Amino acid sequence: MTAEIDAVVTTVRRGHRFAEANRRLAAETAARLGIPNVPRGNDSLDDLRARCGVRNVLVARNGRLTLDTPSGALFFHPGMSHLRIKNLTRGQGDHLVAALALSEGMRVLDCTLGAGADAIVESYAVGETGRVTALESNPLIAAVIGDGLAHAAGDNYEMHAAMRRIAVHAADALTYLREQPDGSFDVVYFDPMFRRPLHESAGMNALRASADMRALTPETVAAAYRVARRRVVMKERRGSGEFERLGFSEVVGGRYSRVAYGVMT
Ligand SMILES: C[S@@+](CC[C@H](N)C(=O)[O-])C[C@H]1O[C@@H](n2cnc3c(N)ncnc32)[C@H](O)[C@@H]1O
């Protein structure tokens, strides 16, 4: 399966102050993903792409992994999670935390890691005694975001600790769910790529270019229902036909928000 990954890994060009850390990270990543580790020399990334016949290049830069795609770069950034955690500490709540009904100590399976912002908020909400397991079917996204969650600095201690507690697996949701015992998580969450994007942004373009675009299937939702002790939640555009198609009869979320959460209990 790893032979199908359309990517090589390299470092930034020579003479960089993180040279040793970058070389180590590139070697570890290449071994883990089973892709070539290519010396960068003085090549541009486009030269490297042409030389290696791949579309994607993972680049070890400043001791962190970034993914260079023809549509832009993907790198770990906590996004809105900082503000959302701040809201939670002020008791202002968060629509996802409410939809999942999260509390201290709960076990969360987030089936769609993506950029990782929701997983960070979930991890903060369930605290040190809870557990967030996050799945991402694209191994390149899983590598970049998993590396960021494990090694990047959080904006404050709570966020930093929440990031570190997330366990990332490069896995397809249905494949993983099939291997889990009944009721082994409290909640299972899906945030699949929207059938129609809400808006374009440079960061989102790189994610969209690599993301698994498949719609959720009734089979996957049924597997999640078996594994979730309390509830299954799916995020979609407000008014999306996906809620009805997949059997989410209860839909919650902010009144003025363009997204909503389908809840199955
Ligand atoms: C909209 S993004 C998730 C965004 C995320 N909630 C966040 O806060 O950044 C969807 C992600 O789920 C991944 N994905 C889609 N279908 C999947 C599946 N069946 N199993 C695992 N990951 C999947 C995509 O590759 C993409 O990275």
Side-chain angles (χ1 to χ4, degrees), residues 9-171:
V9 60
T10 190
T11 62
V12 279
R13 288 177 174 139
R14 268 197 292 267
H16 199 273
R17 68 192 174 99
F18 287 94
E20 189 43 45
N22 290 337
R23 269 197 292 274
R24 210 171 36 236
L25 178 61
E28 279 165 17
T29 305
R32 188 155 38 87
L33 299 185
I35 58 177
N37 180 14
V38 182
R40 175 71 180 269
N42 272 323
D43 281 359
S44 72
L45 290 174
D46 282 338
D47 291 342
L48 202 76
R49 249 193 280 277
R51 174 151 69 88
C52 301
V54 292
R55 286 167 56 80
N56 304 297
V57 184
L58 281 168
V59 185
R61 175 183 283 125
N62 296 337
R64 296 275 63 81
L65 268 190
T66 57
L67 174 64
D68 196 84
T69 79
S71 313
L74 174 71
F75 51 91
F76 172 76
H77 185 278
M80 292 296 285
S81 53
H82 172 63
L83 193 64
R84 291 170 62 190
I85 288 178
K86 216 167 175 181
N87 287 342
L88 286 169
T89 55
R90 290 176 179 155
Q92 288 170 352
D94 179 87
H95 293 307
L96 173 62
V97 171
L100 290 167
L102 293 183
S103 60
E104 198 77 28
M106 282 172 68
R107 298 157 304 165
V108 179
L109 179 62
D110 184 326
C111 290
T112 48
L113 173 70
D118 284 339
I120 296 172
V121 174
E122 292 152 12
S123 177
Y124 171 77
V126 300
E128 280 176 21
T129 56
R131 189 179 80 205
V132 174
T133 303
L135 312 179
E136 171 56 57
S137 56
N138 182 296
L140 300 174
I141 299 176
V144 170
I145 306 303
D147 170 68
L149 290 170
H151 301 292
D155 290 5
N156 53 45
Y157 175 76
E158 280 75 20
M159 188 171 162
H160 194 80
M163 283 162 50
R164 296 293 186 271
R165 290 195 298 266
I166 300 168
V168 173
H169 298 284

